[in-house]
DNA sequence: CGAATAGGTTTATGCCGTACACGGCTGCGT
DNA sequence: ACGCAGCCGTGTACGGCATAAACCTATTCG
């Protein structure tokens, strides 16, 4: 998986990524052509099949000729990443209405755009996304995501974390789907067929009661769409945080002012709206059940993470 | 990166994973030793440094000797996966209290256990997790996760999706952290240092206003812990779904969750219209009798519906 | 006109996974 | 006791990989 990065001067690669002049009239090899050919190979045959040889052959040149234009394979992949991110449409920033409208629809659109990108270029999930030298397209895309996430009104560090979370989710979902697809292709057995074939196994060697129950309930016959399901949960989770923050803010304001108003509330656990008491302290939860849930949640949040988990930071990757 | 899997009979590998007898008295090479050595190499030097040669050297044998015990590298990695998952502690099933207590703390514990596993074995994120031939430890762990997720009371397909979501999140979070760590090691520059070095860049070539704002707000100096933050959001998202389901059930299935409805109601059992209370929670039933009918109905409806024809499906990976 | 330079090529090095043929050992049926 | 089969470790070899270094040739520029 390559893994090695630019051994030479970093200035060279930044020039490749950002300079991008490359007089277009030339006849022979050029950077754009190499990158395009590499993307074609990777799209068609996967990252492991991507080699300098294959790219050079496709272009009708010798292997080593590529090295006149690209420092090495790692940099080539970096260039490929930036190139495909350039396919994304960054338009529809916040065109109309109010300024910070609806971070959620924006975030969802961003996620879905990346999702289709991953479907088009399966090899993306196997690339590292180095913090070093993010190309211009990647930077623009990251900026876009941050702008959207800023609409949540969360703290700066949380905004960044939200973008990482959503980007990470998309990547994982793509990974999972491609895994299944890859195995289907390789074995010629569709996933459904495979699970059906496992029926005997599941039933016979069944010290797996839960798996058995779920299997019999059809969980694997009519599965949830992993992307839609996961994205909804993830954004719900973010939205809940946002709602809690807003509530906390508004609470202060309202309390300072003359309070008695029939407080319509929004449950800080399930988000449902409910009619609060007309006087007295406004309720936080729509039901005893949600109150209990919140308690458990609070309790579990106190447990420190066992792992060392270097506190050094970890801003890292968007795409 | 290998990518190829068992070209030979699949029966062989399943035997390796599950058979595991391997009379322990033998002096020479054995499967367990090979797997252990491979794990040591991968832990210490990363997956790309893992080669059959390196493993063999560490054991004092020739490269080809390994092939007497393992069909190939792909299978060796599969064995490594299963072996490290075996390190997990599957205890604390649902020891006490009521049956379905607190899926959330269970799920969080499961996630944290996997998190430390990924910190201990960074190469895990680069392995595929094939649906074929999951080893016994992986199966047991998956079963465990499903059991926990069943506590949500969600539908079968959703339970599976929840496990995939959480497992995927852990993997992604680990990936992001290892990426950063790897680059730090490689470049000798800590992440914080790097971002500080970017200050000029961000400011100078700043068509990145959001990035600039967040940077100045210290988002990258004191970032959120990506694991804790993401896990909380993810589980919040799931919990929201659970809460909504409970509310919907209690309220009797239909009816929009967000619409509290004006007071005059229509009995959801007999359909009769009736005048509801002028304030407080609107009633769902026109009479105590209908309420009771609904209860009985709900109780008998516990029987699961049989899954129809199998669609494409996409169950996939846990770990 | 001479020299520098950019672009493409050739050759070589050292990794990698693994196919294949071989040899020594051990145990079993005769 | 003998032969033979099977297991286990070995040696050699092949094709593929990234890439370092030297080389060859036009074009360009002083």
């Amino acid at each position: 998986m390559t893994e090695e990065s630019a051994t030479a001067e970093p200035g060279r690669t930044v020039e490749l990524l950002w300079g991008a002049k490359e007089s277009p009239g030339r006849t022979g090899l050029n950077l754009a052509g190499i990158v395009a050919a590499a993307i074609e190979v990777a799209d068609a045959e996967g990252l492991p099949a991507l080699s300098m040889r294959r790219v050079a052959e496709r272009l009708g040149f010798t292997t080593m000729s590529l090295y006149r234009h690209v420092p090495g394979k790692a940099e080539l992949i970096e260039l490929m990443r930036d190139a495909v991110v350039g396919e994304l449409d960054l338009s529809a920033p916040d065109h109309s209405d109010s300024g910070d409208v609806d971070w959620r629809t924006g975030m969802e659109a961003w996620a879905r755009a990346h999702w289709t990108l991953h479907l088009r270029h399966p090899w993306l999930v196997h690339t590292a996304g180095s913090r070093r030298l993010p190309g211009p397209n990647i930077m623009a895309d990251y900026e876009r995501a941050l702008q959207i996430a800023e609409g949540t009104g969360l703290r700066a560090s949380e905004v960044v974390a939200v973008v990482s979370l959503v980007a990470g989710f998309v990547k994982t979902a793509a990974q999972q789907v491609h895994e299944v697809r890859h195995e289907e292709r390789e074995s010629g057995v569709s996933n459904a067929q495979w699970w059906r074939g496992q029926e005997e196994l599941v039933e016979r060697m069944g010290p797996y009661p839960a798996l058995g129950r779920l299997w019999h309930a059809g969980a694997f016959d009519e599965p949830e769409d992993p992307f839609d399901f996961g994205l909804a949960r993830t954004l719900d989770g973010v939205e809940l945080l946002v709602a809690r923050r807003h509530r906390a803010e508004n609470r202060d304001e309202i309390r300072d002012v003359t309070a008695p108003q029939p407080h319509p509330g929004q449950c800080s656990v399930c988000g449902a709206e409910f009619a609060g008491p007309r006087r007295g302290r406004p309720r936080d939860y729509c039901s005893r059940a949600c109150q209990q849930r919140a308690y458990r949640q609070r309790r579990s949040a106190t447990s420190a993470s066992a792992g060392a988990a270097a506190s050094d930071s970890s801003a890292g990757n968007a795409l």
Side-chain angles (χ1 to χ4, degrees), chain A:
Chain A
M1 170 97 45
T2 314
E3 194 71 23
E4 299 307 323
S5 313
T7 51
E9 354 82 280
R12 171 70 192 283
T13 314
V14 73
E15 188 183 331
L16 287 178
L17 278 159
W18 293 84
K21 283 295 165 38
E22 196 90 29
S23 53
R26 307 308 309 154
T27 66
L29 271 179
N30 60 42
L31 223 188
I34 292 175
V35 173
I39 290 174
E40 286 175 23
V41 171
D43 283 350
E45 315 184 41
L47 239 218
L50 177 70
S51 73
M52 300 304 264
R53 288 214 218 299
R54 303 272 298 103
V55 175
E57 280 171 14
R58 170 170 286 249
L59 293 168
F61 290 88
T62 61
T63 308
M64 292 309 292
S65 66
L66 304 183
Y67 287 90
R68 288 284 173 200
H69 302 264
V70 165
K73 191 182 181 181
E75 291 79 0
L76 176 55
I77 291 178
E78 199 88 354
L79 289 162
M80 291 166 64
R81 284 177 55 83
D82 196 68
V84 297
V85 170
E87 298 174 6
L88 289 172
D89 181 18
L90 290 188
S91 70
D94 49 3
H95 55 95
S96 63
D97 301 332
S98 49
D100 60 350
V101 230
D102 222 353
W103 61 269
R104 178 155 181 159
T105 58
M107 211 67 213
E108 179 161 348
W110 187 87
R112 289 195 184 277
H114 276 249
W115 176 243
T116 66
L117 195 67
H118 274 98
L119 293 183
R120 196 158 50 234
H121 304 294
W123 48 269
L124 263 181
V125 301
H126 301 299
T127 60
S130 86
R131 126 200 112 178
R132 82 170 63 220
L133 313 170
N137 292 324
I138 287 177
M139 281 299 277
D141 178 62
Y142 188 45
E143 164 73 15
R144 174 95 186 83
L146 291 175
Q147 279 175 9
I148 294 169
E150 269 185 326
T152 58
L154 294 173
R155 293 196 228 104
S157 60
E158 290 171 330
V159 168
V160 172
V162 164
V163 171
S164 278
L165 177 63
V166 174
F169 162 72
V170 174
K171 189 169 180 177
T172 309
Q175 205 164 344
Q176 293 180 348
V177 165
H178 288 136
E179 233 161 68
V180 170
R181 199 171 294 186
H182 179 259
E183 303 220 9
E184 282 184 4
R185 187 156 311 158
E186 189 174 315
S187 62
V189 184
S190 99
N191 207 2
Q193 285 176 299
W194 186 84
W195 277 100
R196 215 166 306 132
Q198 296 309 92
E199 182 165 12
E200 338 138 4
L201 284 182
V202 168
E203 283 181 357
R204 186 176 315 278
M205 60 165 65
Y208 304 120
L211 184 56
R213 277 193 296 274
L214 293 165
W215 196 91
H216 284 111
F220 301 98
D221 298 324
E222 294 181 353
E224 299 293 311
D225 181 302
F227 179 76
D228 286 338
F229 181 87
L231 183 60
R233 287 328 119 227
T234 303
L235 293 181
D236 274 358
V238 174
E239 185 151 14
L240 201 61
L241 179 64
V242 173
R244 277 205 279 256
R245 279 291 153 69
H246 279 176
R247 273 178 46 76
E249 287 176 8
N250 292 342
R251 176 111 55 90
D252 290 343
E253 295 174 7
I254 288 178
R255 189 176 298 165
D256 289 345
V257 191
T258 54
Q261 285 268 350
H263 293 322
Q266 191 176 3
C267 175
S268 55
V269 171
C270 71
E273 291 181 7
F274 63 93
R278 279 164 323 180
R279 52 198 145 80
R281 176 186 171 187
R283 289 197 282 121
D284 284 340
Y285 310 104
C286 67
S287 66
R288 179 66 225 245
C290 278
Q291 184 181 354
Q292 192 63 21
R293 268 190 280 273
Y295 167 71
R296 270 186 248 111
Q297 200 171 316
R298 227 178 298 123
R299 159 165 281 202
S300 72
T302 322
S303 64
S305 64
S311 63
D312 187 15
S313 103
S314 60
N317 52 355
L319 176 62

